Amino acid sequence: MKNKFFDRRKFLKGMAVTGATLGVAAIVKPAMAKDGEIVNENLYRETEHFKKYYKSLRD
C-alpha cells in the first residue's frame, strides 16, 4: 500500500512540474523571433513633439 501512495505522489509532482514547464514555454515561445525573420529594431522615432521637448530641456 505504501508503494502505491509514493508512486501516486511522485506522479502528481511530475505532472505539476510538467504543467509549469509547459506554461512557461507557452509564454516564452511567442516572444522569440523565427529564423530569418527581421525584427524592426527602430522603435524610437524622433517626432516634432520630442524635438520640442528636448529643446525645452536645453534652454
Side-chain angles (χ1 to χ4, degrees):
M1 181 87 177
K2 197 169 191 176
N3 278 341
K4 284 186 179 183
F5 179 73
F6 179 73
D7 290 337
R8 186 181 307 154
R9 179 178 281 180
K10 189 174 180 180
F11 172 76
L12 291 175
K13 283 182 181 179
M15 292 300 291
V17 169
T18 302
T21 304
L22 290 175
V24 169
I27 292 170
V28 172
K29 189 171 182 172
M32 293 183 194
K34 296 178 183 176
D35 290 339
E37 184 178 338
I38 298 172
V39 178
N40 184 9
E41 293 181 12
N42 190 10
L43 299 176
Y44 174 79
R45 292 180 291 152
E46 191 170 308
T47 61
E48 289 299 317
H49 179 267
F50 282 114
K51 288 178 183 179
K52 288 178 185 177
Y53 175 70
Y54 294 146
K55 186 177 178 182
S56 73
L57 291 177
R58 283 183 246 150
D59 295 335

